[in-house]
Each structure stands twice: as structure tokens, then as C-alpha cells.
């Protein structure tokens, strides 16, 4: 087992099964603070499952996850379930998540979407929460849309609002699961730009994406997954110019 | 809201004020003439020969007579439940196998009268009724008399004498057998009817719970006194109800003859202006019960739905069983069970509370299903997004899932409210005077089931109308909301 939990995110030997199906097999990696990491790979290879494990939306079956010093071990669940879930809650506090389908709350305005969790989870003063929400909407270019309901927005606007909502919890890490996959092509860029801006501010981000050009240009690392395993982790240029593994080469060929 | 609660408090207060200064007596004024009934359809003043008698008795024993309305069928259960002190409503001395009540000395006696149409030729006495259809009130005596002596008679039961006699008039039955005094009163009012035969004798007593021996003794003494000073005879004469049987009963008592003339029995035309304020009051009761009942249903239904979806399996199974059981039993039985059954195990609810609770519980089973469907319709991503933001399961339900489910089920909820509004008419059977009860009270008094019926139907409709509008409005707005859910299929490479 690796003994250097210095990095912001440290994952070792992570396994996840659905019944007989082994979805994640001994996944291990480290990510330093401030990095932007793209995860690519064919459909069904376990990318979403990996992100969901990092956010404790799924129970891990084996291995351990450390994010910003909070260490969650699958083995602990059997020992002390209560402690495990308290740790999971702590860990989740440091992680923001953005979904392919936005998942904004349709019965609330954009501002209320962003205020709600701050008040309910962090017991933030509503006035302060409101202020932060306005600032964040401004930041993602939706300053004028605070009072609008999600259904009156375009897909790109919704996704930017969803990013603002996740940022309001002041996470150390942002996870994106195919954030642009359900957007019309002309809206993809506005969402990607938000992520680039966040990268410049030093946010640590993991992005599951099919936008190869974005992955190539913006990422510090690219992770290639297949069949529940990490096949290759490498520099953004290297993987495109000179993939180390045959499987990676075959996959990338279809995009180039 | 405040007003509703004060109304409930009032009912509770009524329950509690069982003190000695008043004599709470009960009867059914519906089709109550000439025993206990209202002078006119404004239901302002109570009259009838039993009213006169009980008021005189109350005066003699030094209590204030306070009237309580209850349905004839449940007069005795209400007595045992402590809703009132005594019942005076043509109860036959020693009738039934009521082990738990006390009978006073009889205050009146008469036979059973056979009523036929004037143009009837076949039937001249009770014995001619074999192979005929005879209407009777829900009264074991007349049924026993008929079926014991006549093998082929067909007996039809009627809820009240007016229905029986008007059916006779319309030719649906060949004859009606009922208490002579009621027949005597009505035969003057409905043309083409006559009394041809009289059989048997029944004596009427005031009844009280078995625990009220002292009260019954007082009442017996008062009745003796009324016989002695002739006031009983005066009352009976006033209502034109003298007959051979009661002469015997009164024998020994003297008294002046016919002090008053008999009350008029021709009805003036119904004055709707008079009954509208009554209906307004009754409508408030109906609305109160319906709204509070719905409130109970929604809160309870939501709890059941949450338990059903999120609780451990065996608790969830328990919730499902409750829901299915409540949905599978008639509301009326639940109502009687809660009101007359639960006191047996020490839970005695005031009528209003019993009505609201029963309607609420019954409808909770439907609302639970609505909520379950509503929550299932919320995309799974909503719960995930809430959990990803750090909310726990309860917070996610409370702030994200339930509000959306609520918007989703508002239309069926409103429909259920309309249904509940109509079902609330059943609480008239547990002594509450709401719209339906007010209808049968006023209409059986004025004998105008037609016009009054249209009025009361219109009131029900008008009460429900705003809620139907809300349903439409909600449906429209829900369509806007739904757009939020319809996202395009993600483009996968
Ligand atoms: N809740 C689930 N139950 C059973 N199998 C699942 C579940 N979720 C995902 N899977 C399976 O896990 C595999 C990986 O899924 P996923 O992580 O969504 O892949 P990706 O995001 O890379 O397309 C797929 O084969 C999928 O069928
Ligand atoms: Mg996926």
C-alpha cells in the first residue's frame, strides 16, 4: 500500500462491484491540489462509478480514498458503520459534483438553488448565503438570472448554474460527469470556459469528458480507463502523440 | 384556522358540561312530528308533545331542558356514550334487549295503526294484508306482529314515516303499519289516506343509562305528578292524541278538557330566505370538517408514503397493510367504529373530532398512494444532487423531494378533496348537523325535498368550485414545471 497521503486526493486499490459485475478493479491514483484531470474511456468502463465513489454516492467495496486528509476505508464500514458515514459526510463536504443532466432543483429559483444547501447543511446565515450565491452567479456569467427558474434557461446556462451551486459549498475538489454531453454544440464552450477559469484560480478538478480537444488543451493529466481499470495516466500531450498502450491508441483513433 | 379550533373546543365543551343544572335530552327531530319537531323550517323553535312533556318534567325536577339532536337509530348508543342524559322519542317501554338502559314509567300509550289509501278495497283489517306489501318503520314490534300472523306478507322498511306514507300514497305499498299517534298526525296532512285498524298496545317511556337510577326515579315522580295534576292529559289533548289506550294509562288523573286547540297542521309555503342562514351555518361545519379532514389526510398520507418507501422492509410492510386495510373498508363502518366503538376501550372523541379523524385517516390511505406516485415521479438525479450537496436523506426529502411531489400531486389531491367534501355528509350520522343533515332536517319538516334539495346541492357545488379551479390552475402550472424534467438524450460517442 502506498504510504504518502501528502497529495490532495489519494486513491488506492479501489474496488466496486454491482453483484457479480466488477465495475472498478484496483483503481489507484494520486492528484495534487490545483490539477485539472480529464478522465476518458469508452462508455460503460466505470468513469461515472469512479466519480460517484469519490463523492460517496456509492459505497466502495474495497480500498481507500483520502481527500484533503479525510481517509475513508472500505474496511471501516464493517467495523463501525456510524463512524464510516460520519467520515463520508466529512469527505463529501470537500467535494462538489456536477452532473450530465444538471439536476437543478426545478421548484426553486437559481439563487434559491444555490442558497438552499448552504443554509441547510452549513447552517450559513441566509443573508451571507444570498450574497455568495449572487457572487457565484456573476462569476459564471448568470448575474442577471438569479430570480429565474431552471426551466426558463438554456442547457449551457443550467450547467453553469449547477457549477455555481456546487461551488457554493466551498469544495476543495470539483467532479464533473460529462458536463457537456447533453448540451447543444454551441453551448459547450461557455461551460468549458468556466472550468478553465476555475483552473486558473487553482481549483482541483476531475472531469469525465468526451471533449478531446478540451482534454488535450486544458488538462494537466489525462486518465484513460477501460473495463474498470486505469490503463494509462499521462501528460496531456504524450497520450495523444504517443500512447503507451494499444488499447489507448485504438480508443483515440476514433476521435482523431 | 382559529375559528375552526374554537368550533372544536365548543364541541368538547358540550361534551364536558354534563352538570346537574341541565337535563340534556335527545330525540330525532327528522320526521319527528308529532313527537319532537321544529315549528317551521327556520328550525328556531322546538315543539311536539314529547317536547312539551320533557319540558314540564324538567321544570318539575328543577333542571333546564337542553335539547340534543341525534339520529333515531343511534339514540340509545349516544345515551350510553354520555352524549346526553335521557332520550324521549317514542321509545316503547321495555323494548329491545337493552340491558344497559332504564325505562321510566310510561307517559303515553297507543296501538299500531294500519293506514291505507281511501280507495283501497281489498284490505279492511290487518288480517287482509296477507299477500300484500306493507310498509313499516324500523321497528321490531310491527314486523313481529305482521310476520307472526301472516305468512305471505311482504314487509318493506322505511327510514321515516313520511317516506312510508308518501310511498303508500304513490301506490308502492298497499298499507303501512305504524304507531297510531304518528298515523293520526299525518293522515290529516296527506289526502287520500285513512286509518282502518288498530292493533296491540305500546307504552312510551323516557330512557336513561343504567347508572342514572336516581334521575329515573325523579322522572317517575314527575310523571306521577303530571298525571295527578292533569297536565299530562292537557298536553296529550292539545296534540289531539287521546285514545283508548292512554285513557286507561291516565285513569285516575283529572284535568280540564282541551285547553288549547290542536296545532295547525297545514304547512305554509317554504320560505327559502328563512333556511338560507341555517344552511350557511351548516356549510361552515361541512367546510371545517372537510378542510381539517384533508389536512389530517395529507399529513398522515405523507408519513405513510415516506415509511412505505424509505423505512425498513417490515415497517414498510406494516404501512402497506394499513393503507390497504383502510382502503378496503367502508367509511361509514370506520365512522361508527370510531364514534360508537372506541368508547368501549376508553377513547371517547367528541363528534367533530371523531368525524375529522375518521375522514382524515380514511383519505390518508389515498393520499399515501398519491404521494408515493408523486415521489416516484421525481427523477432520481434530484435526490443525488441533494445528497452530493451534503444534505442527509431527511433534508433531501424535506427540501427537494416532498415539495416537488406536492406540486406533482396537487391535481389528484384537489379531486380527493372534492370527494372528501361529499363524503363528509356521512358525519351527519354521528350527531353533527352539517349540510346534509340540515337538508333532511328542514326538508322533512317542510316536506319540500325538491326545492330544498336543489338549494343544498347548489351549496355543495359552490363550495367545491374554487377547489376545482385550483386543480385546473395547478395542472397548468405543473406542465410548465415538467419542462424542467424533459432533458434531451445525452449524446454519447
Ligand atoms: N446501479 C447499477 N447497478 C448495476 N450496474 C450498474 C449500475 N450503475 C452502473 N452499472 C454498470 O456499471 C458499469 C459502469 O457504469 P458507468 O460508471 O456509468 O460507466 P461510464 O460512466 O464509464 O459510461 C456499466 O456496465 C453499467 O451497466
Ligand atoms: Mg457515465
Amino acid at each position: 500500500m502506498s504510504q504518502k497521503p501528502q497529495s490532495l486526493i489519494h486513491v488506492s486499490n479501489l474496488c466496486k462491484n454491482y453483484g457479480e459485475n466488477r465495475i472498478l478493479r484496483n483503481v489507484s491514483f494520486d492528484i495534487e491540489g490545483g490539477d485539472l484531470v480529464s478522465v476518458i474511456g469508452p462508455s460503460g468502463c466505470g468513469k461515472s462509478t469512479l466519480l460517484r465513489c469519490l463523492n460517496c454516492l456509492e459505497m466502495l467495496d474495497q480500498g481507500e480514498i483520502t481527500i484533503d486528509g479525510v481517509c475513508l476505508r472500505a474496511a471501516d464500514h464493517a467495523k463501525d458503520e456510524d463512524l464510516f458515514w460520519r467520515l463520508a459526510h466529512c469527505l463529501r463536504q470537500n467535494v462538489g459534483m456536477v452532473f450530465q443532466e444538471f439536476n437543478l432543483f426545478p421548484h426553486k429559483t437559481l439563487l434559491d438553488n444555490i442558497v438552499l444547501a448552504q443554509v441547510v447543511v452549513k447552517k450559513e446565515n441566509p443573508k451571507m448565503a444570498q450574497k455568495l450565491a449572487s457572487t457565484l452567479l456573476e462569476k459564471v456569467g448568470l448575474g442577471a438570472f438569479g430570480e429565474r427558474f431552471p426551466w426558463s434557461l438554456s442547457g449551457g446556462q443550467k450547467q453553469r448554474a449547477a457549477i455555481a451551486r456546487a461551488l457554493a459549498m466551498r469544495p476543495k475538489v470539483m467532479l464533473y460527469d460529462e458536463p457537456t454531453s447533453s448540451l447543444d454544440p454551441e453551448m459547450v464552450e461557455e461551460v468549458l470556459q468556466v472550468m478553465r477559469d476555475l483552473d486558473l484560480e487553482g481549483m482541483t478538478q476531475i472531469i469525465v469528458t468526451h471533449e478531446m480537444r478540451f482534454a488535450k488543451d486544458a488538462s494537466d493529466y489525462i486518465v484513460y480507463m477501460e473495463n474498470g481499470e486505469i490503463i494509462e495516466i499521462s501528460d496531456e500531450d504524450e497520450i495523444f502523440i504517443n500512447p503507451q498502450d494499444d488499447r489507448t491508441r485504438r480508443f483515440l483513433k476514433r476521435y482523431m | 384556522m382559529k375559528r375552526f379550533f374554537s368550533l372544536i373546543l365548543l364541541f368538547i365543551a358540550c361534551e364536558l358540561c354534563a352538570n346537574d343544572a341541565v337535563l340534556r335530552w335527545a330525540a330525532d327531530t327528522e320526521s319527528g312530528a308529532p313527537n319532537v319537531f321544529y315549528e317551521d323550517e327556520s328550525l328556531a323553535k322546538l315543539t311536539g308533545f314529547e317536547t312539551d312533556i320533557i319540558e314540564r318534567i324538567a321544570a318539575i325536577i328543577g333542571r333546564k331542558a337542553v335539547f340534543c339532536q341525534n339520529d333515531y337509530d343511534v339514540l340509545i348508543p349516544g345515551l350510553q356514550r354520555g352524549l346526553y342524559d335521557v332520550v324521549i322519542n317514542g321509545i316503547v317501554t321495555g323494548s329491545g334487549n337493552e340491558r344497559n338502559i332504564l325505562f321510566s314509567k310510561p307517559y303515553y300509550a297507543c296501538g299500531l295503526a294500519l293506514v291505507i289509501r281511501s280507495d283501497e278495497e281489498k284490505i279492511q283489517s290487518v288480517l287482509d294484508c296477507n299477500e300484500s306489501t306493507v310498509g313499516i318503520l324500523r321497528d321490531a314490534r310491527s314486523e313481529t306482529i305482521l310476520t307472526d300472523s301472516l305468512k305471505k306478507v311482504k314487509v318493506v322498511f322505511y327510514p321515516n314515516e313520511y317516506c312510508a306514507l308518501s310511498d303508500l300514497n304513490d301506490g308502492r305499498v298497499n298499507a303501512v303499519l305504524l304507531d297510531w299517534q304518528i298515523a293520526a298526525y299525518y293522515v290529516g296532512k296527506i289526502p287520500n289516506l285513512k286509518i282502518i285498524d288498530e292493533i296491540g298496545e305500546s307504552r312510551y317511556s323516557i330512557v336513561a343509562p343504567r347508572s342514572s337510577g336516581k334521575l329515573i326515579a325523579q322522572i317517575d315522580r314527575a310523571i306521577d305528578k303530571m298525571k295527578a295534576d292533569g297536565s299530562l292529559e292537557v298536553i296529550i289533548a292539545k296534540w289531539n292524541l287521546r285514545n283508548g289506550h292512554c285513557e286507561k294509562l291516565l285513569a285516575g288523573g283529572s284535568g280540564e278538557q282541551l285547553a288549547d286547540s290542536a296545532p295547525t297542521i297545514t304547512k305554509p309555503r317554504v320560505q327559502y330566505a328563512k333556511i338560507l342562514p341555517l344552511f350557511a351555518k351548516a356549510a361552515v361545519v361541512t367546510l371545517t370538517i372537510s378542510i381539517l379532514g384533508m389536512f389530517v389526510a395529507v399529513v398522515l398520507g405523507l408519513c405513510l408514503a415516506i415509511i412505505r418507501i424509505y423505512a425498513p422492509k417490515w415497517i414498510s410492510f406494516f404501512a402497506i397493510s394499513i393503507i390497504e386495510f383502510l382502503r378496503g373498508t367502508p367509511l361509514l363502518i370506520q365512522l361508527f367504529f370510531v364514534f360508537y366503538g372506541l368508547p368501549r376501550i376508553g377513547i371517547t372523541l367528541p363528534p367533530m373530532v371523531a368525524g375529522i379523524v375518521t375522514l382524515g385517516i380514511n383519505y390518508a390511505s389515498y393520499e399515501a398512494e398519491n404521494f408515493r406516485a408523486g415521489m416516484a415521479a421525481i427523477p432520481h438525479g434530484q435526490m443525488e444532487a441533494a445528497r452530493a450537496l451534503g444534505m442527509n436523506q431527511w433534508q433531501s426529502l424535506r427540501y427537494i423531494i416532498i415539495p416537488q411531489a406536492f406540486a406533482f400531486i396537487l391535481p389528484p389531491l384537489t379531486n380527493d378533496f372534492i370527494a372528501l367534501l361529499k363524503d363528509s355528509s356521512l358525519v351527519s350520522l354521528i350527531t353533527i348537523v352539517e349540510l346534509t343533515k340540515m337538508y333532511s332536517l328542514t326538508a322533512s319538516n317542510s316536506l319540500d325535498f325538491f326545492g330544498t334539495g336543489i338549494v343544498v346541492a347548489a351549496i355543495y357545488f359552490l363550495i367545491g368550485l374554487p377547489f376545482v379551479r385550483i386543480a385546473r390552475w395547478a395542472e397548468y402550472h405543473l406542465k410548465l414545471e415538467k419542462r424542467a424534467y424533459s432533458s434531451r438524450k445525452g449524446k454519447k460517442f
Side-chain angles (χ1 to χ4, degrees):
Chain A
M1 270 201 186
S2 156
Q3 292 296 323
K4 51 159 204 159
Q6 270 16 333
S7 40
L8 185 65
I9 304 177
H10 168 73
V11 174
S12 75
N13 292 317
L14 178 61
C15 292
K16 171 75 196 168
N17 312 324
Y18 283 122
E20 297 287 285
N21 291 352
R22 301 186 60 202
I23 309 299
L24 295 178
R25 310 164 186 223
N26 289 318
V27 172
S28 304
F29 58 87
D30 282 273
I31 292 175
E32 302 297 329
D35 282 354
L36 193 160
V37 178
S38 293
V39 179
I40 59 174
S43 256
C45 69
K47 307 184 293 293
S48 298
T49 308
L50 175 61
L51 288 199
R52 293 162 57 79
C53 283
L54 289 181
N55 200 10
C56 302
L57 282 175
E58 299 290 352
M59 189 45 216
L60 41 154
D61 290 320
Q62 266 179 54
E64 62 176 73
I65 298 172
T66 310
I67 295 179
D68 196 33
V70 181
C71 178
L72 201 63
R73 289 186 188 84
D76 287 348
H77 183 260
K79 273 191 242 149
D80 186 347
E81 205 167 326
D82 216 42
L83 177 75
F84 178 87
W85 286 115
R86 252 181 297 141
L87 274 175
H89 185 74
C90 270
L91 188 137
R92 192 182 275 156
Q93 298 273 303
N94 290 326
V95 181
M97 177 118 181
V98 174
F99 301 88
Q100 178 180 348
E101 303 289 348
F102 327 130
N103 294 345
L104 289 173
F105 305 134
H107 61 302
K108 298 206 170 284
T109 62
L110 288 199
L111 272 176
D112 289 342
N113 258 278
I114 301 173
V115 166
L116 182 68
Q118 296 185 63
V119 175
V120 171
V121 180
K122 293 204 152 171
K123 312 290 176 217
E124 183 68 83
N125 168 322
K127 276 231 182 66
M128 301 298 287
Q130 196 87 21
K131 224 163 111 191
L132 177 61
S134 303
T135 316
L136 287 171
L137 278 180
E138 204 76 55
K139 183 169 169 176
V140 298
L142 292 171
F145 293 79
E147 296 305 328
R148 297 271 285 267
F149 280 90
W151 54 262
S152 68
L153 302 180
S154 74
Q157 289 168 329
K158 280 187 218 175
Q159 196 59 297
R160 285 184 280 148
I163 294 173
R165 182 177 68 178
L167 288 174
M169 302 307 284
R170 302 183 187 283
K172 301 237 163 55
V173 180
M174 286 285 282
L175 310 175
Y176 305 81
D177 192 357
E178 307 196 27
T180 57
S181 290
S182 53
L183 297 182
D184 288 336
E186 72 268 22
M187 291 169 185
V188 170
E189 193 49 39
E190 66 190 48
V191 174
L192 296 182
Q193 191 53 47
V194 172
M195 295 190 274
R196 282 195 199 96
D197 293 345
L198 283 173
D199 188 41
L200 290 181
E201 287 171 23
M203 175 62 78
T204 312
Q205 305 179 87
I206 304 179
I207 303 164
V208 170
T209 187
H210 293 285
E211 295 292 331
M212 293 304 157
R213 233 166 42 99
F214 172 78
K216 189 168 179 230
D217 297 344
S219 334
D220 298 306
Y221 294 103
I222 293 179
V223 174
Y224 176 71
M225 279 183 75
E226 196 175 308
N227 219 359
E229 287 172 300
I230 294 185
I231 306 296
E232 196 166 341
I233 302 182
S234 67
D235 250 57
E236 79 277 19
D237 288 332
E238 208 168 288
I239 202 167
F240 284 101
I241 298 163
N242 182 23
Q244 298 297 301
D245 198 288
D246 271 355
R247 290 169 288 187
T248 319
R249 189 171 298 135
R250 246 178 285 131
F251 175 75
L252 286 173
K253 233 186 207 157
R254 299 213 302 269
Y255 286 92
M256 291 296 144
Chain B
M1 233 24 192
K2 239 182 187 166
R3 189 168 296 165
F4 297 148
F5 285 119
S6 57
L7 231 152
I8 291 175
L9 284 181
L10 187 93
F11 271 89
I12 295 171
C14 276
E15 286 273 309
L16 294 178
C17 73
N19 60 38
D20 284 345
V22 298
L23 178 66
R24 295 170 308 160
W25 63 282
D28 191 359
T29 58
E30 193 176 330
S31 316
N35 296 32
V36 178
F37 62 106
Y38 285 104
E39 252 178 22
D40 58 29
E41 65 267 23
S42 73
L43 307 190
K45 192 166 175 330
L46 213 54
T47 185
F49 88 96
E50 287 177 341
T51 312
D52 290 349
I53 289 173
I54 194 73
E55 273 172 357
R56 178 89 182 107
I57 289 174
I60 290 172
I61 66 176
R63 290 216 208 167
K64 188 173 175 304
V66 173
F67 173 66
C68 307
Q69 161 68 34
N70 201 358
D71 230 59
Y72 188 82
D73 284 342
V74 287
L75 275 173
I76 303 300
L79 185 70
Q80 279 159 348
R81 220 175 151 291
L83 290 176
Y84 31 76
D85 304 315
V86 294
V87 172
I88 175 168
N89 208 189
I91 309 278
V92 174
T93 313
S95 66
N97 38 15
E98 299 291 356
R99 279 170 289 116
N100 298 320
I101 55 173
L102 293 176
F103 295 89
S104 73
K105 288 187 173 169
Y107 55 84
Y108 183 72
C110 69
L112 287 170
L114 188 69
V115 185
I116 55 164
R117 286 184 297 276
S118 323
D119 57 5
E120 173 71 55
E121 281 163 5
K122 219 184 88 209
I123 300 175
Q124 291 308 324
S125 80
V126 175
L127 294 175
D128 299 333
C129 290
N130 220 353
E131 297 185 21
S132 304
T133 309
V134 180
I136 60 173
L137 304 187
R138 273 170 294 176
D139 165 11
R141 246 176 340 134
S142 1
E143 193 196 2
T144 322
I145 289 172
L146 279 174
T147 51
D148 276 2
S149 48
L150 309 169
K151 288 292 171 246
K152 287 192 208 153
V153 68
K154 187 164 174 260
V155 175
V156 180
F157 291 88
Y158 283 98
N160 62 55
E161 60 277 9
Y162 177 74
C163 294
L165 292 173
S166 59
D167 256 15
L168 174 62
N169 201 23
D170 297 340
R172 285 202 200 119
V173 292
N174 304 107
V176 172
L177 186 67
L178 78 175
D179 292 27
W180 176 85
Q181 39 100 12
I182 301 175
Y185 180 80
Y186 274 96
V187 161
K189 268 210 249 178
I190 303 175
N192 306 325
L193 296 185
K194 62 178 183 190
I195 298 176
I196 51 150
D197 197 8
E198 205 195 321
I199 51 170
E201 179 187 277
S202 13
R203 297 171 164 218
Y204 293 173
S205 281
I206 296 168
V207 296
R210 183 147 288 283
S211 54
S212 302
K214 242 171 75 191
L215 178 62
I216 281 290
Q218 278 182 313
I219 290 173
D220 280 349
R221 260 176 274 132
I223 290 175
D224 283 342
K225 184 150 181 281
M226 287 173 72
K227 280 184 191 164
D229 69 7
S231 52
L232 186 56
E233 194 177 357
V234 171
I235 291 170
I236 291 171
K238 169 186 161 191
W239 289 93
N240 259 344
L241 295 174
R242 309 178 67 136
N243 63 50
H245 302 283
C246 78
E247 298 299 340
K248 257 191 281 166
L249 189 73
L250 293 171
S254 63
E256 67 266 51
Q257 305 287 306
L258 292 178
D260 289 290
S261 63
T264 50
I265 50 175
T266 48
K267 286 283 169 185
R269 281 184 29 161
V270 188
Q271 292 172 324
Y272 292 113
K274 257 189 186 171
I275 59 175
L276 277 179
L278 291 176
F279 277 160
K281 247 192 261 166
V284 170
V285 176
T286 290
L287 202 57
T288 305
I289 292 173
S290 305
I291 290 177
L292 289 183
M294 198 64 197
F295 182 74
V296 172
V298 166
V299 171
L300 213 60
L302 182 57
C303 294
L304 281 173
I306 291 175
I307 290 171
R308 188 172 170 176
I309 302 176
Y310 295 101
K313 233 185 183 135
W314 66 272
I315 300 180
S316 154
F317 176 77
F318 190 62
I320 294 171
S321 311
I322 290 177
I323 292 169
E324 291 304 324
F325 183 73
L326 289 176
R327 286 205 301 185
T329 46
L331 179 55
L332 190 56
I333 288 179
Q334 295 172 5
L335 201 59
F336 278 159
F337 180 81
V338 168
F339 192 64
Y340 292 111
L342 287 189
R344 167 71 68 84
I345 57 164
I347 305 171
T348 306
L349 300 173
M352 199 75 169
V353 176
I356 290 167
V357 166
T358 313
L359 280 168
I361 290 177
N362 186 274
Y363 272 78
S365 58
Y366 297 99
E367 296 332 313
E369 282 304 286
N370 279 340
F371 270 113
R372 193 186 60 78
M375 293 205 268
I378 309 301
H380 190 58
Q382 291 290 312
M383 183 58 126
E384 297 226 304
R387 299 304 297 271
L389 284 169
M391 294 190 213
N392 59 33
Q393 182 144 323
W394 166 242
Q395 289 167 336
S396 314
L397 278 175
R398 157 89 176 70
Y399 295 102
I400 307 303
I401 306 300
I402 293 173
Q404 290 184 56
F406 206 77
F408 204 83
I409 69 162
L410 209 50
L413 206 85
T414 321
N415 290 337
D416 282 354
F417 179 74
I418 304 287
L420 188 147
L421 184 73
K422 290 184 286 182
D423 276 351
S424 75
S425 65
L426 287 176
V427 303
S428 61
L429 295 173
I430 55 167
T431 75
I432 298 174
V433 180
E434 41 65 75
L435 268 176
T436 300
K437 189 66 187 177
M438 192 56 88
Y439 168 53
S440 53
L441 284 178
T442 52
S444 66
N445 180 279
S446 62
L447 302 186
D448 172 40
F449 282 91
F450 183 80
T452 318
I454 292 176
V455 171
V456 77
I459 294 175
Y460 266 112
F461 178 71
L462 288 176
I463 291 179
L465 201 57
F467 296 96
V468 176
R469 294 265 143 223
I470 291 174
R472 298 263 160 75
W473 177 87
E475 231 157 349
Y476 171 75
H477 281 260
L478 198 68
K479 271 189 195 122
L480 288 184
E481 290 275 348
K482 264 188 184 158
R483 277 202 249 154
Y485 297 137
S486 63
S487 47
R488 268 160 282 114
K489 264 259 161 284
K491 280 167 292 188
K492 297 233 163 148
F493 290 93

